Amino acid sequence: MYVPSFADADGDGMGDLRGITDRLGHVADLGADAVWLTPFYPSPLADGGYDVADYRGVDPRHGTLDDFRALLARARDLGLRTIVDIVPNHCSDQHPWFQEALAAAPRSAARDRFIFREGTGPGGAEPPADWQSKFGGPAWTRVPDGQWYMHIFASEQPDLNWDNPEVAADFEDTLRFWLDLGVDGFRVDVAHGLRKDLAPPLRDTHGGDTAPLNSPPAGLNHPFWDRDEVHDIYRVWRKITDAYAPPRIMVAEAGVSAARLPLYTRPDELHQAFNFFHLRCPWESGAFRDVVDTSLADAATTGSLPTWVLSNHDVVRHRTRYGLPEGTDLRAWVTGDGREPAVDDTRGRRRARAAALLTLALPGTTYLYQGEELGLPEVADLPAEALRDPMWERTGHGQKGRDGCRVPLPWTRDGSSYGFGAGGSWLPQPDGWGERSVEAQTGRAGSFLELYRTALALRRDFLGDESFTWLPSAPGELAFRKGAGLVCRVNLSDRPVPLSVPDGAEPLLASDPLPDGQLPPDTAVWLRSGAR
């Protein structure tokens, strides 16, 4: 759940905790096991709440701690677990620690909680190193006394110094605060970025500032991404979560190579790590097969299972991605209001439905992003005056950013915000959004919502046996068995293939209608194996 965009109970146009509580029945009816909440902590919202000003509170725009307790209780009543975001790499520039650091002298204890350095060049007028922000521009901002502070993201998000024991101790207390309240775990934001090589002189990256998704197995020895020292933090955190009964869960957002990802899920570290390789996979059978094989094999090295994800609050929604030509520059496409190239929404719709069945059939854990169960597309034509993503300003209006996947959900066919809230929505919703709503799709045969509800209900029949076997398949097709009972076949080609049904197999669910004996292009089917 992207908290600002799920549901608004108080009518101010911004999603809140009471809105989520009121709508949790939808999540339970969908068939999910847990909810993950993006940050709802006090924040200036320079980056959608990922600029945290107080790690142990609730932003008044989202509610109160009592509202959060009520959400936990309602989730428990519905059989749902609750995972919250923890943002340990950086805080808000309005956090009391950073305000104290700005008022303190260079090389003071207050500044040592962050990464302040002297500049380079004449008068220290150049940044301390060539490190670049993920949101555009230098990863350094100068303060009036001449020093510079580091921020991997926006200048309103100063990076914390994890070499400082006070920082580590404070986050351990924060974990215990939320665990004592009753949360079931944490999603760890930027899990691969906490530790930096800060030994002088700071090493230049020579443009290698982005997360090393394609790094070699040995790693890049990058000054601030995926450093081995980061794992010391998670070993301590694991001892904290294991002290609770039942033990709580942690999942890493770690943009690292496939070979490095399992390091985050070793038995004494985090429990899961998001699998962005599945999300980024092109619609091609060989590519998906490689991702599945690599993901299963790498996870097995630590005794874990992979996670699978198709969309999240940071990427173009997959219904739209699958309708664009392969290789489309998505950032440029969004910045151009989604006009060029044109989206083939018919193809995107079919592929998104087939991808749902493919993903939900795989061993491990699937994370669904709010609205994908409604088949929501990307809203690429948001007007410039509505944009909130810091990328828009930091890139000089060169990138519109991620707002298009964060447009508030439609719950009803009608109303000023299609049921999101009585006071409109903080991002404008497109015309016709109501026909994509929960109300419009409930009980409608062939709708995205009913496909997801049916798939998640059937999936429970096959939990427990997470073994995996590839089956013979036609060119362009994927076919596999999970456990002893679930067979999934997906046609990723542009032509029909014969639908091979094992003797005694029972058809369960298809992403689109199946002509006799054929599996159409961009279609998936589940069958119950006769060997069950």
Side-chain angles (χ1 to χ4, degrees):
M1 294 177 174
Y2 187 68
V3 173
S5 298
F6 192 76
D8 171 25
D10 63 10
D12 66 353
M14 176 71 67
D16 49 42
L17 298 180
R18 286 198 294 119
I20 291 173
T21 302
D22 293 344
R23 296 289 191 180
L24 275 177
H26 164 73
V27 183
D29 290 344
L30 186 65
D33 303 297
V35 294
W36 151 36
L37 308 181
T38 61
F40 49 84
Y41 315 115
S43 167
L45 298 184
D47 182 24
Y50 284 91
D51 49 318
V52 180
D54 176 4
Y55 285 93
R56 299 173 206 163
V58 174
D59 191 293
R61 287 164 290 194
H62 297 318
T64 66
L65 271 176
D66 283 342
D67 291 333
F68 183 74
R69 292 185 181 98
L71 189 159
L72 286 176
R74 175 62 174 155
R76 282 193 294 268
D77 289 345
L78 292 170
L80 296 167
R81 305 287 182 93
T82 304
I83 296 168
V84 300
D85 240 309
I86 193 78
V87 189
N89 179 73
H90 50 266
C91 65
S92 167
D93 62 355
Q94 300 304 305
H95 190 287
W97 274 5
F98 194 70
Q99 289 298 301
E100 182 185 356
L102 291 178
R107 292 169 290 281
S108 62
R111 288 205 174 177
D112 190 58
R113 298 180 185 128
F114 299 91
I115 302 170
F116 279 86
R117 291 295 184 272
E118 304 297 333
T120 60
E126 297 297 324
D130 72 346
W131 301 356
Q132 296 295 299
S133 163
K134 290 282 285 182
F135 288 168
W140 301 93
T141 291
R142 201 176 194 189
V143 299
D145 60 34
Q147 280 202 314
W148 299 72
Y149 69 88
M150 181 194 175
H151 49 89
I152 291 180
F153 297 95
S155 58
E156 297 90 347
Q157 296 168 286
D159 277 40
L160 291 154
N161 175 17
W162 274 88
D163 289 346
N164 186 319
E166 189 178 1
V167 171
D170 193 72
F171 269 93
E172 290 162 23
D173 289 343
T174 294
L175 295 179
R176 294 187 182 96
F177 175 86
W178 293 107
L179 291 168
D180 290 343
L181 273 178
V183 305
D184 298 291
F186 302 95
R187 177 263 194 186
V188 184
D189 187 60
V190 197
H192 59 307
L194 276 57
R195 294 297 296 270
K196 282 86 171 172
D197 179 5
L198 300 175
L202 297 180
R203 293 187 288 120
D204 281 348
T205 63
H206 306 292
D209 54 281
T210 57
L213 285 165
N214 298 313
S215 62
L220 288 178
N221 191 26
H222 193 283
F224 56 84
W225 289 128
D226 191 32
R227 299 195 58 78
D228 288 339
E229 307 95 280
V230 78
H231 298 284
D232 296 336
I233 299 169
Y234 303 132
R235 293 187 183 99
V236 174
W237 287 15
R238 180 62 178 260
K239 291 177 181 178
I240 292 172
T241 58
D242 281 354
Y244 288 77
R248 309 304 199 251
I249 189 175
M250 294 181 288
V251 56
E253 183 212 28
V256 301
S257 68
R260 297 279 294 178
L261 194 62
L263 299 179
Y264 290 81
T265 59
R266 286 176 286 195
D268 61 345
E269 296 191 40
L270 307 179
H271 301 78
Q272 297 181 345
F274 284 131
N275 185 348
F276 295 121
F277 304 99
H278 186 71
L279 181 152
R280 292 182 172 92
C281 190
W283 191 256
E284 194 274 319
S285 60
F288 267 110
R289 185 172 185 128
D290 288 345
V291 166
V292 170
D293 282 340
T294 299
S295 300
L296 289 169
D298 286 347
T301 64
T302 60
S304 61
L305 283 165
T307 66
W308 312 100
V309 59
L310 292 169
S311 280
N312 63 36
H313 61 283
D314 287 330
V315 301
V316 171
R317 285 187 176 274
H318 63 273
R319 174 175 181 156
T320 297
R321 294 199 318 269
Y322 289 148
L324 287 166
E326 186 61 40
T328 296
D329 182 335
L330 293 174
R331 288 186 174 183
W333 178 82
V334 169
T335 302
D337 292 343
R339 292 188 296 263
E340 182 63 35
V343 178
D344 183 341
D345 187 60
T346 299
R347 183 175 67 186
R349 173 200 166 278
R350 291 184 65 90
R351 289 181 174 181
R353 293 170 64 86
L357 295 193
L358 163 62
T359 301
L360 289 168
L362 292 167
T365 298
T366 301
Y367 284 80
L368 309 177
Y369 176 48
Q370 63 177 48
E372 75 171 81
E373 79 278 12
L374 304 178
L376 296 185
E378 185 79 1
V379 182
D381 59 353
L382 290 169
E385 61 271 18
L387 299 177
R388 305 287 188 91
D389 194 311
M391 289 187 189
W392 177 240
E393 294 299 335
R394 285 193 61 83
T395 60
H397 298 178
Q399 294 179 20
K400 287 180 73 170
R402 302 157 292 174
D403 290 327
C405 65
R406 300 174 176 183
V407 173
L409 295 186
W411 292 94
T412 60
R413 278 194 167 96
D414 303 306
S416 63
S417 64
Y418 305 107
F420 172 70
S425 60
W426 67 281
L427 284 172
Q429 299 159 303
D431 293 339
W433 210 233
E435 287 308 307
R436 303 183 188 275
S437 67
V438 175
E439 179 187 42
Q441 296 195 43
T442 295
R444 191 176 79 204
S447 71
F448 265 89
L449 180 56
E450 295 303 336
L451 176 72
Y452 271 80
R453 284 175 171 172
T454 303
L456 286 167
L458 288 171
R459 187 175 187 264
R460 294 187 180 277
D461 291 345
F462 303 98
L463 294 178
D465 185 348
E466 301 298 300
S467 60
F468 179 87
T469 306
W470 289 112
L471 301 175
S473 58
E477 182 193 23
L478 292 176
F480 58 86
R481 177 182 290 111
K482 175 187 175 289
L486 179 60
V487 170
C488 179
R489 308 192 78 94
V490 190
N491 182 5
L492 295 95
S493 74
D494 59 2
R495 64 193 66 186
V497 299
L499 178 56
S500 176
V501 179
D503 289 342
E506 172 192 355
L508 295 174
L509 180 65
S511 59
D512 275 302
L514 303 175
D516 289 343
Q518 297 289 311
L519 184 61
D522 302 327
T523 305
V525 61
W526 284 4
L527 307 110
R528 191 188 302 274
S529 171
R532 182 174 183 268

